[in-house]
Amino acid sequence: MKKVIIKSLMVLMVMSFAIAMIAGCSKEEEKIKIGFNIPLTGDIPKVGEASKNAAEMLLADINAQGGLEVGGKKIPLQFFYEDNESKAESAVNVALKLIEQNGVVAIIGPNSSKQAVPAGGTCNDNRTPMVSPWSTNPDTTKNRPWVFRAAFLDPFQGPVAVNFATKQFKATKAAVLFDVSNDYSKGLAEIFKDVFEKKNGGESVVAFESHGTKDQDFSAQLTKIINSKPDFIFVPDNYNQVALIVKQARDLGWTGPFMGSDAWGSAELMKLCGDDCKGQFFSTHYAAAGAKGATKEFIDRYEAKYGETPDDVAALTWDAARLVLQAIQDAGSYNPNVKDERKAIRDALSSIKEFAGITGSMKFDSQGDPIKCAVVVRIDDNGNFVFAESVCP
Amino acid sequence: MDILIQNLLNALQWGSFYALIALGYTLVYGVLLLINFAHGDIFMVGAYIAFFVATFLLGLFDFAPWMVLALTVPLTMILTAGVGVTLERIAYRPLRRKGAHRLYVVITALMCGLILENGNLALLGASRKKFPELLDKVIYTWGNVSVTNLKIIVIFAAIAVFLLLEFIVTRTRIGMAMRGISYDKFAIPLMGIPIDSVIVFTFVLGSGMAGLAGLLFAMSYPVLEPYMGALIGWKAFIAAVVGGIGDIRGAFLGGFLLGFIEVGVVAVFPSTYRDLFAFSILLMILWIKPTGIFGVAKTTKI
């Protein structure tokens, strides 16, 4: 008797599991699942926060209309936000989790090249389209047909910084301080050195110093840099380190200018850096002050919703997500089979030739990299990032 | 010449933080033979406490920043000492009472450190805190050498703390009791010395100094994050070992030695090699003298 009860209980359990699974599947088929591989903790939490804010705004927009219209049918979106802790290995794990557990059709992120380069490999191997909003290192998309991005590349950004600094500071000697354990920072520093030395002759980069990600004291490097008497210091570093580097350089008596890169452009830079960063220049993806059209509309809505000016990461995440949505629509019809849908999205992404984003219009080359303009902004006395110059390829 | 003096000053400031943290490691080790791996995170907690105390005082009254600083120093030290004593009460004392092996207490300390880090992350979020400026920055310049008033304060604070601890341990009755416990934990209570009070006092001293270090660090490097104590804590521990852990002069010297080596390596070699070279040098020191510079093999410590 007992056995019968146990057996029937087991059968019941198995059945309820099966029903739950079928029910779960049939429910989930209704939604387009997109994953976000972003740094919500770790070295650059503000970057993850900005990405998530922009994504939430987009999600609310689309779902308020009943979903994304694909082939005449409206399908609601579902976004998964996973924290990669600003670490390379966690970014890979997050990518695998999104692909295998959540069954997403595409991944937005990671943002920083340090995470985007390894995670791009994972997505490519697992045949899942990935669009990095902010990564500028060429290796992220190189020979990876499944990986795309919304940002310009360091081989483009490097010369922009060199040309602008040469013109603005009348510089013939430069110093560089970069993060040796960050693909982005290291790659950009090397490109900058090459381009600057080609332009101003060998040895014109008078100091080329590095530091580690967790370092807080840069006085030894800065002493060396200041002593080599450069015309300006190029700092392709994340905003949190920039705040320390600029301050310590001032403490050591450096009164000259700095030139930064797009990793400076976080909404948190001025909170951490304060007066020391005012008057400095950096190259970036867009300038919020004085924007027009769709960009202005995005900025106003973001400010109304979150109470701060969206930084470049927020704008690029918006563009990256819209690229994916565009590809889903371009594919014609939504395929409930995740693998087929991923393939369809990849094909559609690779055939997008031109896209009008809020960070400027972009054309895609054969590597999946956009060709778009860069801007140089100046940090004014109120801490706003003001447009100084636009450079187009 | 200018570069040399500038780098000496840089190294003195950076070494001061290592020395201040290493002193906390060495005090607890000297008395309990316990490597308190949570000490680096107590330093981090000290920096956060200083942040909250300072912003609270700045917001509450119409104080001048220097008055806020004068109040923040003792408050931070007292509150951080409270954190250290709490850890001792809830984590180390029960294990000690049960006679657990030293190894388990060390593992417990590691766990406490992780709890402090991740507790902070869960409570306050990952976003960084900017420490308010409590001191009007003055930059003194001679030729190419620049030094801020804060740098001088940091260096003098490290020296003053060292002298104070050296005095307490060698010249006072409670210092004698500390040395006694380190010599024989089992015989000392029989002499009527309250062993628990002495151990609590040790944690008060060590954590209070970590609090001071946290405050000074937050003023010098005003970007706070939950993991800021981990790496500097490990390095200060290594400095304490190289100096001879358990010896106050050793911790002080080891801290400054590490600061000097790190800055020196960057000054001479490409900065990429800093940690590789710095720790190879420390390894060689231990190779020649495994007990550390001031360490004595298995006898009285502190």
Side-chain angles (χ1 to χ4, degrees):
Chain A
M1 191 58 196
K2 247 187 178 172
K3 264 188 184 171
V4 176
I5 293 174
I6 290 172
K7 267 187 185 166
S8 53
L9 269 176
M10 280 169 71
V11 170
L12 259 175
M13 265 172 67
V14 171
M15 273 173 69
S16 57
F17 261 122
I19 290 167
M21 277 176 72
I22 293 165
C25 285
S26 62
K27 234 194 223 162
E28 282 168 10
E29 270 169 26
E30 310 279 279
K31 287 186 171 165
I32 298 174
K33 292 195 260 181
I34 296 174
F36 285 80
N37 188 345
I38 49 179
L40 292 166
T41 61
D43 294 329
I44 44 173
K46 192 73 189 173
V47 167
E49 194 192 313
S51 259
K52 192 177 171 188
N53 284 348
E56 288 278 273
M57 214 166 100
L58 184 66
L59 182 70
D61 275 7
I62 305 271
N63 282 353
Q65 301 164 4
L68 185 73
E69 197 173 323
V70 188
K73 205 172 100 189
K74 284 201 169 173
I75 311 173
L77 298 179
Q78 186 178 12
F79 284 178
F80 293 89
Y81 306 102
E82 288 290 338
D83 176 21
N84 62 32
E85 307 169 59
S86 318
K87 288 182 194 154
E89 63 277 15
S90 305
V92 170
N93 290 337
V94 163
L96 283 173
K97 184 181 174 197
L98 288 169
I99 294 166
E100 283 162 9
Q101 250 170 282
N102 300 117
V104 298
V105 292
I107 290 177
I108 315 280
N111 280 312
S112 177
S113 298
K114 187 177 167 186
Q115 291 103 42
V117 174
T122 311
C123 289
N124 195 51
D125 295 344
N126 287 287
R127 307 171 87 66
T128 305
M130 167 183 136
V131 183
S132 171
W134 201 47
S135 165
T136 50
N137 191 305
D139 289 340
T140 305
T141 53
K142 201 171 186 187
N143 299 326
R144 288 170 177 170
W146 292 78
V147 184
F148 304 84
R149 72 172 104 214
F152 52 63
L153 294 190
D154 288 335
F156 170 60
Q157 180 175 200
V160 167
V162 169
N163 292 334
F164 181 81
T166 321
K167 206 172 65 187
Q168 179 76 26
F169 313 132
K170 300 188 176 47
T172 51
K173 287 185 295 178
V176 184
L177 181 59
F178 65 99
D179 182 346
V180 74
S181 46
N182 183 339
D183 288 343
Y184 160 76
S185 187
K186 187 166 180 278
L188 186 52
E190 278 161 3
I191 291 164
F192 178 88
K193 185 171 190 272
D194 277 356
V195 178
F196 196 86
E197 288 190 340
K198 251 185 217 130
K199 198 175 169 115
N200 295 296
E203 308 288 310
S204 57
V205 173
V206 286
F208 193 68
E209 297 296 316
S210 67
H211 65 84
T213 299
K214 290 272 166 205
D215 286 357
Q216 282 138 325
D217 185 278
F218 309 95
S219 55
Q221 288 95 326
L222 287 167
T223 300
K224 225 168 150 180
I225 285 174
I226 293 168
N227 206 63
S228 63
K229 298 198 169 45
D231 295 321
F232 70 102
I233 307 176
F234 182 60
V235 186
D237 243 322
N238 283 332
Y239 61 90
N240 55 326
Q241 283 150 338
V242 169
L244 290 174
I245 289 171
V246 172
K247 194 176 143 51
Q248 286 172 34
R250 293 286 182 248
D251 284 356
L252 288 167
W254 169 256
T255 51
F258 290 89
M259 176 82 205
S261 59
D262 62 312
W264 282 43
S266 168
E268 219 170 54
L269 176 75
M270 292 319 290
K271 192 187 122 200
L272 297 177
C273 191
D275 291 345
D276 290 326
C277 278
K278 286 175 182 166
Q280 308 309 323
F281 295 89
F282 63 92
S283 55
T284 185
H285 305 273
Y286 93 129
K292 290 193 252 329
T295 315
K296 172 106 174 67
E297 194 184 312
F298 167 77
I299 292 168
D300 290 346
R301 286 181 53 210
Y302 190 99
E303 277 176 346
K305 195 163 180 190
Y306 301 108
E308 63 185 26
T309 311
D311 49 25
D312 56 344
V313 185
L316 287 168
T317 306
W318 179 273
D319 277 355
R322 281 205 30 236
L323 260 173
V324 171
L325 300 185
Q326 172 86 46
I328 294 172
Q329 284 175 322
D330 286 357
S333 63
Y334 186 74
N335 196 331
N337 183 316
V338 174
K339 281 194 174 147
D340 293 345
E341 178 60 23
R342 285 177 186 159
K343 176 94 173 63
I345 292 177
R346 192 216 83 83
D347 292 344
L349 268 174
S350 66
S351 55
I352 292 179
K353 287 286 166 261
E354 198 164 350
F355 178 80
I358 56 171
T359 57
S361 77
M362 27 189 140
K363 292 181 180 141
F364 288 86
D365 66 6
S366 58
Q367 282 291 346
D369 296 329
I371 302 160
K372 60 197 280 196
C373 303
V375 293
V376 176
V377 301
R378 190 175 75 87
I379 305 173
D380 73 4
D381 290 340
N382 299 320
N384 292 324
F385 300 160
V386 194
F387 177 86
E389 196 184 66
S390 167
V391 184
C392 292
Chain B
M1 194 61 200
D2 284 351
I3 314 173
L4 191 70
I5 296 170
Q6 183 69 63
N7 274 323
L8 275 175
L9 286 167
N10 295 341
L12 275 172
Q13 185 196 13
W14 190 230
S16 297
F17 292 114
Y18 284 139
L20 279 170
I21 302 169
L23 282 169
Y25 274 110
T26 228
L27 268 178
V28 172
Y29 185 85
V31 172
L32 282 179
L33 295 183
L34 158 67
I35 300 162
N36 183 12
F37 273 122
H39 193 70
D41 297 301
I42 292 177
F43 158 79
M44 175 274 292
V45 171
Y48 270 84
I49 288 175
F51 169 77
F52 285 114
V53 170
T55 39
F56 175 73
L57 290 175
L58 279 173
L60 195 61
F61 309 109
D62 207 14
F63 282 165
W66 67 267
M67 276 165 76
V68 173
L69 179 64
L71 281 172
T72 308
V73 172
L75 273 173
T76 303
M77 288 178 73
I78 291 165
L79 290 171
T80 317
V83 174
V85 172
T86 313
L87 271 191
E88 199 270 334
R89 277 307 279 269
I90 60 174
Y92 308 146
R93 191 183 289 183
L95 285 174
R96 197 168 66 241
R97 287 273 160 79
K98 293 202 173 88
H101 190 271
R102 268 170 57 203
L103 179 65
Y104 304 119
V105 190
V106 171
I107 302 295
T108 309
L110 272 174
M111 287 189 287
C112 289
L114 287 171
I115 290 169
L116 285 179
E117 278 172 18
N118 292 294
N120 181 337
L121 189 65
L123 226 67
L124 301 174
S127 188
R128 276 129 217 276
K129 303 265 177 283
K130 158 106 164 90
F131 197 79
E133 282 193 20
L134 300 180
L135 208 63
D136 287 330
K137 192 163 73 181
V138 184
I139 304 176
Y140 307 103
T141 314
W142 302 279
N144 286 328
V145 181
S146 295
V147 62
T148 57
N149 48 356
L150 184 62
K151 229 173 199 170
I152 298 170
I153 291 174
V154 168
I155 296 165
F156 276 103
I159 295 169
V161 164
F162 162 69
L163 292 176
L164 177 75
L165 291 183
E166 181 77 16
F167 174 77
I168 289 175
V169 168
T170 55
R171 298 288 152 84
T172 60
R173 283 160 61 96
I174 195 150
M176 199 193 279
M178 286 160 80
R179 281 180 289 147
I181 293 170
S182 121
Y183 194 73
D184 192 336
K185 220 167 33 185
F186 300 102
I188 280 292
L190 304 177
M191 311 290 163
I193 292 170
I195 184 164
D196 279 342
S197 317
V198 178
I199 289 172
V200 165
F201 181 72
T202 313
F203 273 89
V204 167
L205 271 186
S207 309
M209 299 314 149
L212 179 67
L215 168 65
L216 292 172
F217 193 88
M219 289 172 71
S220 311
Y221 308 99
V223 178
L224 305 185
E225 54 124 354
Y227 296 102
M228 62 188 273
L231 192 64
I232 192 168
W234 292 343
K235 286 186 174 177
F237 168 64
I238 296 171
V241 170
V242 170
I245 191 158
D247 188 287
I248 289 180
R249 288 164 303 161
F252 187 70
L253 186 83
F256 277 107
L257 186 70
L258 181 53
F260 274 98
I261 294 175
E262 281 198 359
V263 170
V265 169
V266 176
V268 180
F269 299 101
S271 30
T272 315
Y273 299 131
R274 192 187 70 183
D275 286 357
L276 177 69
F277 280 25
F279 290 97
S280 303
I281 295 170
L282 297 187
L283 185 67
M284 273 188 265
I285 295 175
L286 285 186
W287 212 3
I288 299 162
K289 203 159 183 318
T291 52
I293 298 168
F294 280 108
V296 192
K298 269 281 167 195
T299 51
T300 322
K301 295 270 179 169
I302 234 181

